[in-house]
Amino acid sequence: MIPRRLPAPARRELGGETVLIVDDEPAVRGIARRILESGGCAVLEAAGAEEALAIVDGGARIGAVVTDLAMPQVNGLVLVELLAAERPALPVAVMSGDGSALVSRPGLPFLRKPFAPEELLVLVSALLRRGGAAATVPVPGRPHVPARQRYRSPPR
């Protein structure tokens, strides 16, 4: 069940920040959007890594990213690496029904699907607290090379 409205302290904790949800399943993106909007977040959606990188490179002020792990063409771990190179302070978490691929990334925040609304809200709240305002701006003194220029999608 999606909460209609969080108590005021929880809404303030999410602070109206923008969260980017990346998942190739429209239903998952829609559920995540409704949950996060009920918690006071603005939500951007991407159907895959390339679309997510375009949003990030387009200058959107994003407070956190939650990405699916298993996606066609570019998986969530590759997206995490590209985002870390683009905006190292941007907090990112992955979600999946199977987290076994994360053995090599023990510190990466993980949300198991299917998730309860409260689990997503707690995860995003923790990401936003960790990231703060620094997550929305590129690193000073570091040349900006859009992530999509560093990554070439495989031929179809």
Side-chain angles (χ1 to χ4, degrees):
M1 181 171 127
I2 298 173
R4 292 231 184 264
R5 197 143 185 86
L6 288 175
R11 283 197 312 271
R12 279 195 302 275
E13 196 166 279
L14 295 177
E17 289 280 349
T18 299
V19 177
L20 175 59
I21 298 293
V22 186
D23 198 299
D24 56 316
E25 293 291 330
V28 173
R29 291 193 316 268
I31 289 168
R33 171 186 283 280
R34 288 191 302 276
I35 292 168
L36 292 172
E37 286 176 344
S38 78
C41 285
V43 178
L44 297 174
E45 296 180 33
E50 289 185 27
E51 191 177 337
L53 294 170
I55 290 169
V56 170
D57 289 343
R61 293 188 56 85
I62 300 167
V65 176
V66 180
T67 182
D68 187 20
L69 185 58
M71 295 185 291
Q73 297 167 353
V74 181
N75 73 36
L77 287 179
V78 172
L79 177 59
V80 167
E81 294 299 324
L82 291 168
L83 289 172
E86 180 78 18
R87 297 206 182 155
L90 180 63
V92 180
V94 295
M95 58 183 168
S96 179
D98 175 22
S100 61
L102 296 176
V103 170
S104 64
R105 299 291 307 264
L108 187 61
F110 175 71
L111 178 64
R112 184 168 303 282
K113 290 182 189 176
F115 49 83
E118 296 78 22
E119 292 174 310
L120 179 59
L121 291 168
V122 166
L123 172 74
V124 168
S125 176
L127 289 174
L128 292 172
R129 280 195 312 271
R130 189 179 88 196
T136 62
V137 295
V139 177
R142 184 173 174 183
H144 177 74
V145 178
R148 66 174 175 258
Q149 288 180 6
R150 293 188 307 276
Y151 170 77
R152 298 279 184 231
S153 59
R156 295 179 187 202

